[in-house]
Amino acid sequence: MTVTRPTYSRQTDDHRYGSGSQQALRARNLQTLASDLHDNGPATQRELAKRTGLSQATVSNLVKILVEEHKAITQPTVSSGRRATLVTASST
């Protein structure tokens, strides 16, 4: 008995899903987060997740990228009696 496994074909799968779809999604989510910070001001990561509709894990990962790119600043804070991270858009 021979078992065949599906293989990835750039020609067919890229057409169906869009070339670089993961990168495009990350770029769109980064833009959503940066725009929200600019338009609505500082917020905790949890608040950003609620405001943008992104998951808390996604927001956490994207905040790290924004900080690395010097587009956001984080600082520890307390929200509802729990540790939280306040995210502020960078002025640069």
Side-chain angles (χ1 to χ4, degrees):
M1 174 157 118
T2 305
V3 176
T4 58
R5 299 176 190 254
T7 59
Y8 174 79
S9 168
R10 278 191 82 84
Q11 236 174 355
T12 57
D13 289 353
D14 279 353
H15 174 1
R16 214 170 58 187
Y17 298 113
S19 180
S21 61
Q22 282 289 44
Q23 292 83 2
L25 178 60
R26 177 173 286 130
R28 188 172 62 235
N29 287 344
L30 276 168
Q31 182 59 46
T32 297
L33 198 59
S35 293
D36 183 85
L37 283 169
H38 181 267
D39 295 344
N40 300 309
T44 64
Q45 290 185 17
R46 177 176 285 213
E47 291 167 339
L48 286 170
K50 282 185 177 182
R51 292 188 333 197
T52 62
L54 299 170
S55 74
Q56 289 183 36
T58 297
V59 168
S60 177
N61 290 325
L62 295 176
V63 165
K64 288 176 188 174
I65 293 170
L66 291 175
V67 168
E68 288 172 3
E69 294 177 350
H70 305 286
K71 295 180 180 177
I73 301 167
T74 60
Q75 64 186 49
T77 190
V78 175
S79 176
S80 301
R82 306 188 100 185
R83 289 182 303 170
T85 300
L86 184 67
V87 184
T88 305
S90 178
S91 58
T92 58

